[in-house]
Amino acid sequence: DQQVKQNSPSLSVQEGRISILNCDYTNSMFDYFLWYKKYPAEGPTFLISISSIKDKNEDGRFTVFLNKSAKHLSLHIVPSQPGDSAVYFCAASEGAQKLVFGQGTRLTINP
Amino acid sequence: DTAVSQTPKYLVTQMGNDKSIKCEQNLGHDTMYWYKQDSKKFLKIMFSYNNKELIINETVPNRFSPKSPDKAHLNLHINSLELGDSAVYFCASSQAYRAETQYFGPGTRLLVL
Protein backbone atom coordinates (compact mmCIF):
# COMPACT_ATOMS: atom_id res chain seq x y z
CA ASP A 1 0.00 0.00 0.00
CA GLN A 2 1.92 2.98 -1.30
CA GLN A 3 0.92 6.15 0.53
CA VAL A 4 2.85 8.46 -1.78
CA LYS A 5 2.70 8.03 -5.53
CA GLN A 6 4.30 9.70 -8.48
CA ASN A 7 2.40 8.41 -11.46
CA SER A 8 4.70 9.77 -14.14
CA PRO A 9 7.91 7.75 -14.30
CA SER A 10 9.47 10.25 -16.71
CA LEU A 11 9.04 13.74 -18.08
CA SER A 12 10.82 15.53 -20.90
CA VAL A 13 10.83 19.33 -21.10
CA GLN A 14 12.45 21.88 -23.36
CA GLU A 15 15.10 24.09 -21.79
CA GLY A 16 13.59 27.39 -20.65
CA ARG A 17 10.07 25.99 -20.32
CA ILE A 18 8.24 25.07 -17.15
CA SER A 19 8.60 21.58 -15.65
CA ILE A 20 5.69 20.34 -13.54
CA LEU A 21 6.13 17.22 -11.45
CA ASN A 22 3.16 15.74 -9.66
CA CYS A 23 2.67 13.70 -6.54
CA ASP A 24 -0.40 12.21 -4.84
CA TYR A 25 -0.77 10.92 -1.30
CA THR A 26 -3.40 9.00 0.59
CA ASN A 27 -2.62 9.59 4.26
CA SER A 28 -4.47 12.67 5.51
CA MET A 29 -2.25 12.72 8.61
CA PHE A 30 0.78 13.80 6.60
CA ASP A 31 1.70 17.32 7.66
CA TYR A 32 4.97 17.99 5.88
CA PHE A 33 5.88 17.45 2.26
CA LEU A 34 9.23 17.53 0.56
CA TRP A 35 10.89 17.19 -2.80
CA TYR A 36 14.27 15.56 -3.19
CA LYS A 37 16.47 15.56 -6.26
CA LYS A 38 18.74 12.67 -7.18
CA TYR A 39 21.58 12.47 -9.67
CA PRO A 40 22.94 9.08 -10.81
CA ALA A 41 25.27 7.37 -8.33
CA GLU A 42 24.40 9.92 -5.64
CA GLY A 43 21.95 9.97 -2.78
CA PRO A 44 18.82 12.15 -2.84
CA THR A 45 19.35 15.78 -1.84
CA PHE A 46 16.72 17.98 -0.26
CA LEU A 47 15.24 20.54 -2.66
CA ILE A 48 12.19 22.24 -1.18
CA SER A 49 9.47 21.56 1.37
CA ILE A 50 6.04 22.74 2.41
CA SER A 51 4.06 22.51 5.60
CA SER A 52 0.42 21.48 5.50
CA ILE A 53 -0.60 24.90 6.81
CA LYS A 54 0.54 26.46 3.55
CA ASP A 55 -0.50 25.94 -0.03
CA LYS A 56 2.58 27.36 -1.74
CA ASN A 57 6.28 27.68 -1.08
CA GLU A 58 8.77 29.27 -3.41
CA ASP A 59 12.55 29.11 -3.56
CA GLY A 60 14.11 30.68 -6.60
CA ARG A 61 13.11 28.75 -9.69
CA PHE A 62 11.34 26.09 -7.61
CA THR A 63 7.79 26.33 -6.31
CA VAL A 64 5.84 23.65 -4.52
CA PHE A 65 2.05 23.74 -4.46
CA LEU A 66 -0.07 21.77 -2.01
CA ASN A 67 -3.74 20.94 -2.52
CA LYS A 68 -4.84 19.25 0.68
CA SER A 69 -8.39 18.56 -0.41
CA ALA A 70 -7.10 16.69 -3.44
CA LYS A 71 -4.17 15.21 -1.53
CA HIS A 72 -1.92 16.40 -4.29
CA LEU A 73 1.28 18.36 -4.52
CA SER A 74 3.31 19.55 -7.43
CA LEU A 75 6.76 20.96 -8.06
CA HIS A 76 7.18 23.68 -10.65
CA ILE A 77 10.57 24.50 -12.07
CA VAL A 78 10.78 27.61 -14.19
CA PRO A 79 12.73 28.19 -16.27
CA SER A 80 14.02 24.63 -16.64
CA GLN A 81 17.76 24.23 -17.10
CA PRO A 82 19.85 21.27 -18.30
CA GLY A 83 21.27 20.84 -14.79
CA ASP A 84 17.74 20.13 -13.57
CA SER A 85 17.84 16.76 -15.34
CA ALA A 86 17.59 14.26 -12.48
CA VAL A 87 15.15 11.99 -10.68
CA TYR A 88 12.78 13.88 -8.40
CA PHE A 89 11.28 12.18 -5.36
CA CYS A 90 8.25 13.43 -3.53
CA ALA A 91 8.14 12.60 0.20
CA ALA A 92 5.75 13.13 3.07
CA SER A 93 6.00 12.90 6.82
CA GLU A 94 3.74 12.80 9.81
CA GLY A 95 5.17 14.65 12.76
CA ALA A 96 8.57 15.11 11.08
CA GLN A 97 9.74 11.71 12.19
CA LYS A 98 9.59 9.42 9.21
CA LEU A 99 9.65 10.12 5.50
CA VAL A 100 7.49 8.19 3.05
CA PHE A 101 8.78 8.48 -0.49
CA GLY A 102 7.21 8.17 -3.90
CA GLN A 103 8.92 6.18 -6.62
CA GLY A 104 10.40 9.17 -8.39
CA THR A 105 10.01 10.93 -11.73
CA ARG A 106 12.93 11.16 -14.12
CA LEU A 107 13.09 14.69 -15.54
CA THR A 108 15.04 15.31 -18.73
CA ILE A 109 15.64 18.85 -19.91
CA ASN A 110 16.33 19.05 -23.61
CA PRO A 111 18.52 21.87 -24.99
CA ASP B 1 34.65 16.20 2.44
CA THR B 2 31.80 13.70 2.21
CA ALA B 3 28.99 14.32 4.69
CA VAL B 4 27.46 10.83 4.61
CA SER B 5 29.58 8.01 3.24
CA GLN B 6 28.81 4.36 2.62
CA THR B 7 31.03 1.39 1.90
CA PRO B 8 31.03 -0.51 -0.30
CA LYS B 9 29.36 1.20 -3.25
CA TYR B 10 28.76 -2.10 -5.00
CA LEU B 11 28.33 -5.55 -3.51
CA VAL B 12 27.81 -8.73 -5.50
CA THR B 13 27.37 -11.90 -3.50
CA GLN B 14 25.82 -15.35 -3.50
CA MET B 15 22.56 -16.34 -1.88
CA GLY B 16 23.00 -17.48 1.69
CA ASN B 17 26.03 -15.31 2.41
CA ASP B 18 26.27 -12.76 5.21
CA LYS B 19 27.33 -9.22 4.36
CA SER B 20 27.67 -5.80 5.97
CA ILE B 21 27.31 -2.26 4.71
CA LYS B 22 28.94 0.56 6.63
CA CYS B 23 27.75 4.13 7.00
CA GLU B 24 29.46 7.12 8.53
CA GLN B 25 28.37 10.75 8.85
CA ASN B 26 30.52 13.71 9.82
CA LEU B 27 27.68 16.22 10.22
CA GLY B 28 27.32 15.86 13.96
CA HIS B 29 23.77 14.54 13.54
CA ASP B 30 22.29 12.28 16.17
CA THR B 31 19.75 10.44 14.03
CA MET B 32 20.66 7.97 11.30
CA TYR B 33 18.54 5.91 8.91
CA TRP B 34 18.68 3.00 6.51
CA TYR B 35 16.48 3.00 3.41
CA LYS B 36 15.95 0.36 0.74
CA GLN B 37 15.18 1.33 -2.86
CA ASP B 38 13.54 -1.67 -4.41
CA SER B 39 13.02 -2.66 -8.03
CA LYS B 40 9.95 -0.44 -8.25
CA LYS B 41 12.14 2.50 -7.21
CA PHE B 42 10.31 3.29 -3.97
CA LEU B 43 12.60 4.45 -1.19
CA LYS B 44 11.40 2.74 1.98
CA ILE B 45 12.69 3.32 5.45
CA MET B 46 14.01 0.27 7.24
CA PHE B 47 15.52 1.55 10.48
CA SER B 48 16.19 4.74 12.35
CA TYR B 49 18.57 5.28 15.25
CA ASN B 50 18.70 8.27 17.56
CA ASN B 51 21.75 8.54 19.80
CA LYS B 52 22.53 4.87 19.18
CA GLU B 53 19.02 3.79 20.13
CA LEU B 54 16.63 2.14 17.71
CA ILE B 55 13.56 4.33 17.21
CA ILE B 56 12.08 3.09 13.95
CA ASN B 57 12.02 -0.53 12.90
CA GLU B 58 9.77 -1.12 9.95
CA THR B 59 8.60 -4.62 9.04
CA VAL B 60 12.00 -5.81 7.96
CA PRO B 61 13.07 -9.47 8.20
CA ASN B 62 15.19 -10.12 11.25
CA ARG B 63 17.98 -11.20 8.92
CA PHE B 64 18.65 -7.47 8.78
CA SER B 65 20.32 -6.12 11.88
CA PRO B 66 21.49 -2.53 12.25
CA LYS B 67 24.32 -1.74 14.60
CA SER B 68 25.28 1.71 15.82
CA PRO B 69 28.63 1.71 17.61
CA ASP B 70 28.45 5.49 18.03
CA LYS B 71 26.41 8.46 16.85
CA ALA B 72 28.44 8.85 13.68
CA HIS B 73 28.09 5.27 12.46
CA LEU B 74 25.21 3.01 11.54
CA ASN B 75 26.08 -0.31 9.95
CA LEU B 76 23.71 -2.78 8.35
CA HIS B 77 24.32 -6.51 8.65
CA ILE B 78 22.39 -8.88 6.47
CA ASN B 79 22.41 -12.61 7.17
CA SER B 80 21.46 -15.42 4.82
CA LEU B 81 21.07 -13.16 1.82
CA GLU B 82 18.15 -13.84 -0.53
CA LEU B 83 17.54 -12.86 -4.14
CA GLY B 84 14.88 -10.36 -3.02
CA ASP B 85 17.46 -8.47 -1.01
CA SER B 86 18.94 -7.14 -4.24
CA ALA B 87 18.37 -3.38 -4.10
CA VAL B 88 20.09 -0.08 -3.49
CA TYR B 89 20.53 0.69 0.20
CA PHE B 90 20.82 4.31 1.30
CA CYS B 91 22.05 5.57 4.61
CA ALA B 92 20.93 9.02 5.82
CA SER B 93 21.32 11.26 8.83
CA SER B 94 19.51 14.22 10.35
CA GLN B 95 19.19 16.23 13.51
CA ALA B 96 16.92 14.58 16.03
CA TYR B 97 13.43 14.01 14.68
CA ARG B 98 13.92 16.48 11.84
CA ALA B 99 13.15 13.97 9.14
CA GLU B 100 12.76 16.71 6.55
CA THR B 101 16.43 17.61 6.79
CA GLN B 102 17.92 14.24 5.99
CA TYR B 103 21.25 14.00 4.24
CA PHE B 104 21.73 10.86 2.18
CA GLY B 105 24.77 8.80 1.37
CA PRO B 106 25.51 7.76 -2.24
CA GLY B 107 23.93 4.34 -1.83
CA THR B 108 25.19 0.75 -1.92
CA ARG B 109 24.01 -1.37 -4.82
CA LEU B 110 23.59 -4.95 -3.62
CA LEU B 111 23.16 -7.78 -6.09
CA VAL B 112 22.43 -11.25 -4.78
CA LEU B 113 23.02 -14.05 -7.26
Side-chain angles (χ1 to χ4, degrees):
Chain A
D1 180 30
Q2 303 300 340
Q3 298 183 71
V4 178
K5 289 184 181 178
Q6 295 173 254
N7 292 316
S8 298
S10 63
L11 177 67
S12 188
V13 174
Q14 204 73 17
E15 183 179 357
R17 299 287 185 100
I18 183 170
S19 296
I20 300 176
L21 295 98
N22 294 303
C23 177
D24 297 298
Y25 62 95
T26 57
N27 187 346
S28 57
M29 299 301 291
F30 286 144
D31 56 6
Y32 208 86
F33 303 88
L34 308 92
W35 285 93
Y36 278 77
K37 179 178 180 179
K38 184 184 179 306
Y39 291 119
E42 295 182 13
T45 55
F46 170 74
L47 186 60
I48 191 170
S49 63
I50 187 168
S51 163
S52 59
I53 61 173
K54 293 185 174 182
D55 54 18
K56 177 182 174 181
N57 188 26
E58 195 171 348
D59 183 2
R61 297 184 297 113
F62 303 90
T63 303
V64 56
F65 294 92
L66 176 62
N67 182 334
K68 286 194 296 287
S69 60
K71 294 193 179 66
H72 177 85
L73 68 155
S74 60
L75 174 69
H76 293 210
I77 307 173
V78 56
S80 301
Q81 299 175 354
D84 296 331
S85 295
V87 176
Y88 289 79
F89 288 95
C90 168
S93 74
E94 180 186 344
Q97 292 203 24
K98 184 176 84 170
L99 290 181
V100 180
F101 283 86
Q103 69 270 53
T105 296
R106 182 178 301 278
L107 176 65
T108 302
I109 306 301
N110 301 308
Chain B
D1 200 15
T2 306
V4 182
S5 59
Q6 296 179 228
T7 53
K9 286 192 174 179
Y10 300 96
L11 188 52
V12 182
T13 187
Q14 299 288 329
M15 258 183 10
N17 284 350
D18 303 337
K19 291 293 178 185
S20 294
I21 306 172
K22 295 186 177 181
C23 178
E24 177 181 2
Q25 54 95 4
N26 61 8
L27 298 167
H29 291 161
D30 49 16
T31 305
M32 296 185 73
Y33 311 81
W34 276 110
Y35 286 85
K36 178 180 180 182
Q37 186 179 25
D38 59 23
S39 56
K40 294 183 180 178
K41 304 302 182 185
F42 285 97
L43 263 169
K44 294 183 180 176
I45 190 165
M46 301 171 68
F47 303 102
S48 173
Y49 268 74
N50 176 256
N51 279 320
K52 303 196 305 176
E53 285 192 34
L54 183 66
I55 55 171
I56 294 175
N57 184 352
E58 296 295 295
T59 49
V60 176
N62 56 16
R63 299 182 295 103
F64 290 78
S65 54
K67 285 185 172 55
S68 182
D70 54 57
K71 278 177 22 173
H73 296 85
L74 180 61
N75 303 323
L76 184 64
H77 301 274
I78 316 171
N79 296 324
S80 303
L81 277 155
E82 299 178 357
L83 293 177
D85 298 332
S86 295
V88 182
Y89 293 84
F90 289 96
C91 176
S93 72
S94 73
Q95 293 290 11
Y97 301 116
R98 291 297 305 275
E100 70 275 13
T101 54
Q102 290 185 33
Y103 291 79
F104 283 80
T108 295
R109 188 175 295 274
L110 171 65
L111 179 60
V112 182
L113 302 175

